[in-house]
Amino acid sequence: LARQHNCKIIPVDSEHSAIFNLTQKIGTENISELVITASGGPFRKFTDEQLKTVTVEDALKHPTWNMGPKITIDSASLANKGLEVIAAVRLFNFSPDEVKVVVHPQSLIHSLVRTKDGVLYAQISNPDMRHPIYGALVWPEYKENYLEPFDLASCTEMTFFAPRMDSFPLLPLAYQCARKSNSYTIAFNAANEVAVAAFLEKKCSFLQ
């Protein structure tokens, strides 16, 4: 519908807001790859054995973001990152193989793009959803605001890791659905909602 009416869809999820702004500045024709960052959730360092005994209470303790229970559980299982991959494919017209995920626990880099010459460009700000919301409201302008700017000199570290696809299978499953397209992505979203509800009601384990 947006294409039909020559309109822009302005995303407010922090990752897609970052990609939107980077693609607007650089041009999608110059970009070879989108890189979505993930906090890794509370279980990033858990062994497969430890994941077997995860409780609802454990899963609701997100290390960076303060969100509702559904999205917090999705973050713990990396289902949210799978949904973000699906959304990026649709929003920016990239293939699933051109959308990558990297774990970045500090949540300071909200996403990156790789240009065709191999260079990475990042959007960096404090992990505060008011940034992408404000940006969407004033787009296409960049206006001064009351939000605290990120101080690069105060940053002690930024670390990055590959996601553990075997331990968190909802992310590779989302990639499969994105490649199949059609209604597979809707089925992924619906099945995940049912699974999260069952887990929150303690009717199934985290791995189930």
Side-chain angles (χ1 to χ4, degrees), residues 3-200:
R3 280 195 294 269
Q4 183 183 327
H5 293 281
N6 196 28
C7 295
K8 297 236 180 257
I9 297 174
I10 305 173
V12 294
D13 197 5
S14 62
E15 294 83 356
H16 300 99
S17 172
I19 294 169
F20 176 79
N21 281 282
L22 290 164
T23 56
Q24 291 295 300
K25 294 291 184 186
I26 295 168
T28 52
E29 71 279 4
N30 299 312
I31 295 170
S32 63
E33 187 176 270
L34 309 179
V35 183
I36 297 175
T37 53
S39 69
F43 310 133
R44 179 176 63 82
K45 295 183 178 179
F46 275 40
T47 65
D48 290 349
E49 198 61 31
Q50 287 175 304
L51 288 174
K52 292 178 182 177
T53 57
V54 159
T55 66
V56 171
E57 292 72 23
D58 294 332
L60 288 173
K61 294 174 185 172
H62 195 278
T64 311
W65 296 95
N66 180 20
M67 308 174 288
K70 164 66 166 61
I71 299 174
T72 304
I73 300 301
D74 282 352
S75 179
S77 69
L78 294 193
N80 72 317
K81 227 32 63 173
L83 290 165
E84 287 172 16
V85 167
I86 290 166
V89 167
R90 297 291 177 92
L91 283 171
F92 305 110
N93 199 29
F94 280 74
S95 76
D97 295 325
E98 294 169 327
V99 181
K100 309 296 184 187
V101 173
V102 65
V103 175
H104 168 51
Q106 294 80 19
S107 298
L108 295 169
I109 293 179
H110 298 285
S111 276
L112 310 92
V113 298
R114 189 186 300 278
T115 48
K116 289 180 178 177
D117 58 0
V119 176
L120 284 168
Y121 293 85
Q123 193 256 36
I124 309 173
S125 66
N126 292 317
D128 184 338
M129 281 304 297
R130 290 176 296 177
H131 283 293
I133 293 168
Y134 182 86
L137 289 171
V138 302
W139 188 86
E141 298 178 82
Y142 290 84
K143 292 190 173 185
E144 290 186 25
N145 57 66
Y146 63 90
L147 297 171
E148 182 183 354
F150 175 65
D151 179 12
L152 192 60
S154 70
C155 179
T156 55
E157 68 171 346
M158 287 191 195
T159 52
F160 305 91
F161 309 91
R164 292 161 53 201
M165 297 288 201
D166 291 340
S167 300
F168 297 91
L170 286 181
L171 180 54
L173 187 61
Y175 270 102
Q176 286 182 39
C177 292
R179 291 185 187 104
K180 289 176 180 287
S181 193
N182 299 317
S183 298
Y184 283 91
T185 53
I186 300 170
F188 175 87
N189 184 52
N192 179 61
E193 290 203 6
V194 172
V196 170
F199 176 65
L200 286 169

